[in-house]
Amino acid sequence: MFYVVLFALVLAIVFLPGLWVRRVMQRYHTPGDLYPHDGAEVARKLIEDLGLDVRVDEGESGLDHYDPTTRTVRLSPENYAGHSLTAVTVAAHEVGHAMQHAGGYGPLMLRTAMARFAMVAEKLGAFALMAMPVVAVLTRSPVSGAAMLAIGIGSIAVGTLVHLVTLPVEWDASFRRALPTLKNGDYLPERHLPHARKLLTAAALTYVAASLASLLNLYRWIAILRR
């Protein structure tokens, strides 16, 4: 019974933040005609007011992000053309990342560099984990198998570290960049700001579920290695 409760608790910790984020985002997608300007127009206005050299493009559904390599804010179709509070607030959050980039914000630069390395490390790690049984059989050496496992775990650890660095970057984009900009620029009525704050919290916590799942996966592999 203890393990059932523990398993349920772990599932709740990993998945509930993501469910809450999606619920908040969806809730403020309506009404869909709340503001005269859509998310893309708000993003471009913010960028112009801030004097940033950044483009705004329409991206894939559910994948709002800022690409520092091309200096592009990409908004999902629902936020790019949407006139809802979610569309406006998410646009401001992504412009917050552009502000970080323009100001040379250290954690963003670190995350960008680590993300590039993590992509290579994850491919190497996946190959190492798949090849581990074959290498162990061919070499008949437990040391070789353990080395391949260690490489795989190392790649997972790099991915986990990227997720952990991402959290303060997202929080800074929401509350040190986007929220003051929305307040000072009079982009939202005063009565909408508490709801925008909730949305900015959701935007900042988008990667929490992925971070927790990554930590859980890392712990699982470390437990395997210790056996």
Side-chain angles (χ1 to χ4, degrees):
M1 185 63 183
F2 170 77
Y3 290 105
V4 173
V5 173
L6 181 62
F7 180 70
L9 182 62
V10 170
L11 286 180
I13 291 172
V14 171
F15 292 109
L16 284 181
L19 292 174
W20 181 81
V21 167
R22 285 193 292 274
R23 179 178 174 275
V24 171
M25 292 291 186
Q26 195 59 43
R27 175 184 175 186
Y28 291 107
H29 265 305
T30 55
D33 57 351
L34 190 59
Y35 303 105
H37 303 296
D38 59 33
E41 290 169 334
V42 170
R44 291 190 180 103
K45 183 67 166 60
L46 284 168
I47 288 167
E48 182 182 348
D49 290 348
L50 293 165
L52 303 177
D53 181 19
V54 175
R55 289 170 31 216
V56 179
D57 287 344
E58 185 174 352
E60 298 178 40
S61 181
L63 294 178
D64 304 278
H65 68 284
Y66 171 69
D67 183 351
T69 59
T70 60
R71 294 183 179 271
T72 303
V73 167
R74 291 195 175 92
L75 300 175
S76 58
E78 55 270 27
N79 290 329
Y80 186 89
H83 295 256
S84 65
L85 181 59
T86 294
V88 170
T89 307
V90 168
H93 173 83
E94 299 307 332
V95 172
H97 287 306
M99 294 169 65
Q100 290 174 333
H101 191 196
Y105 180 59
L108 176 68
M109 303 302 156
L110 176 62
R111 182 185 74 173
T112 302
M114 288 179 62
R116 294 195 194 101
F117 175 72
M119 290 176 62
V120 178
E122 284 175 3
K123 291 177 182 178
L124 177 63
F127 172 78
L129 291 174
M130 288 189 294
M132 180 184 67
V134 178
V135 171
V137 170
L138 291 177
T139 62
R140 296 183 180 180
S141 169
V143 175
S144 299
M148 298 297 283
L149 180 58
I151 292 172
I153 291 175
S155 71
I156 296 172
V158 171
T160 300
L161 193 56
V162 171
H163 284 304
L164 294 177
V165 172
T166 294
L167 297 179
V169 172
E170 296 296 323
W171 198 263
D172 179 271
S174 278
F175 294 104
R176 288 195 62 235
R177 318 282 176 164
L179 187 59
T181 303
L182 289 173
K183 278 183 178 179
N184 299 335
D186 199 27
Y187 290 92
L188 297 176
E190 186 72 27
R191 67 182 185 279
H192 290 177
L193 287 174
H195 304 292
R197 182 182 290 274
K198 187 179 291 187
L199 274 164
L200 288 169
T201 301
L205 298 182
T206 300
Y207 296 94
V208 165
S211 300
L212 293 172
S214 184
L215 280 171
L216 186 63
N217 192 35
L218 179 62
Y219 173 78
R220 181 171 67 88
W221 280 108
I222 291 175
I224 291 173
L225 187 61
R226 291 177 62 185
R227 289 176 184 174

